[in-house]
């Protein structure tokens, strides 16, 4: 298989006590801007995107057990083409959108190297991956579904500052 599909995943739901400014409306805006940039690149240089696909998923039910992402992995006909998932999240409402978690094995190390070389100002750490894997944090993201059920390499990006406002009316 020679496909090179990248899937950008962003959930559109939030919890009932918040308007969801960072979790996850700001990430929806980032996904839309990424789409605009990829379309602009394709218009300028069609060869740059030949044999590649850029898929954006706006899922629901992330806050209810990752059901939207699970549905994409298990039933969407395009999912078999996906080689990398970029999941856009929030765990606070400030700071840059940082990479805070990556999958292990497979193409993960190669993708991490590509990202760190290509990003204008790469910001993040994979240490959170180990913390999440211990079970100490009783939370997770859609990336777990893409990893566990879809066997796809990927990254989580999130706002990590002002965590005291996460899932509160202050978001």
């Amino acid at each position: 298989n020679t496909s090179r599909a990248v899937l950008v995943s962003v959930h559109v739901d939030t919890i009932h006590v918040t308007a969801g400014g960072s979790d996850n409306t700001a990430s929806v805006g980032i996904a839309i801007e990424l789409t605009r940039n990829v379309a602009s690149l394709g218009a300028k240089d069609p060869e740059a995107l030949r044999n590649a696909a850029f898929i954006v998923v706006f899922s629901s039910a992330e806050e209810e057990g990752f059901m939207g992402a699970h549905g994409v992995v298990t039933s969407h006909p395009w999912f078999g083409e996906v080689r990398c998932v970029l999941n856009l999240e929030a765990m606070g409402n400030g700071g840059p959108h940082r990479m805070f978690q990556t999958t292990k094995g497979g193409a993960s190390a190669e993708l991490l190297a590509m990202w760190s070389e290509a990003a204008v100002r790469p910001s993040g750490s994979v240490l959170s991956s180990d913390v999440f894997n211990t079970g100490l944090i009783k939370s997770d993201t859609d990336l777990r579904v893409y990893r566990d059920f879809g066997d796809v390499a990927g990254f989580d990006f999130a706002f990590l500052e002002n965590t005291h406002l996460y899932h509160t009316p202050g978001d």
Side-chain angles (χ1 to χ4, degrees):
N1 190 341
T2 60
S3 70
R4 300 181 306 167
V6 172
L7 184 141
V8 173
S9 177
V10 57
H11 70 88
V12 298
D13 60 324
T14 191
I15 64 167
H16 73 280
V17 299
T18 177
S22 66
D23 187 26
N24 209 27
T25 304
S27 294
V28 169
I30 291 169
I32 291 168
E33 185 64 11
L34 281 169
T35 303
R36 188 191 66 75
N37 278 283
V38 169
S40 177
L41 172 64
K44 291 176 189 169
D45 182 7
E47 283 299 312
L49 302 179
R50 185 165 308 284
N51 300 321
F54 181 77
I55 302 167
V56 181
V57 171
F58 296 94
S59 66
S60 190
E62 187 268 354
E63 301 290 356
E64 304 299 324
F66 318 110
M67 293 183 286
H70 190 268
V72 169
V73 170
T74 59
S75 64
H76 200 286
W78 294 351
F79 192 77
E81 304 300 315
V82 174
R83 296 296 166 259
C84 176
V85 172
L86 307 176
N87 187 55
L88 308 181
E89 255 298 346
M91 295 189 315
N93 77 350
H97 219 226
R98 291 188 179 106
M99 188 273 297
F100 75 96
Q101 183 171 217
T102 184
T103 57
K104 292 182 179 181
S108 298
E110 180 182 352
L111 290 168
L112 187 59
M114 289 169 53
W115 169 74
S116 65
E117 290 174 19
V120 175
R121 286 184 297 267
S123 177
S125 171
V126 297
L127 294 177
S128 296
S129 300
D130 294 332
V131 175
F132 271 85
N133 288 334
T134 66
L136 290 172
I137 298 175
K138 301 298 179 204
S139 181
D140 217 328
T141 72
D142 282 334
L143 184 64
R144 179 183 63 79
V145 174
Y146 295 117
R147 178 195 71 210
D148 292 355
F149 295 93
D151 193 28
V152 175
F155 307 119
D156 259 329
F157 292 87
F159 300 106
L160 302 174
E161 296 175 17
N162 300 328
T163 57
H164 64 285
L165 296 172
Y166 176 68
H167 282 184
T168 72
D171 179 12

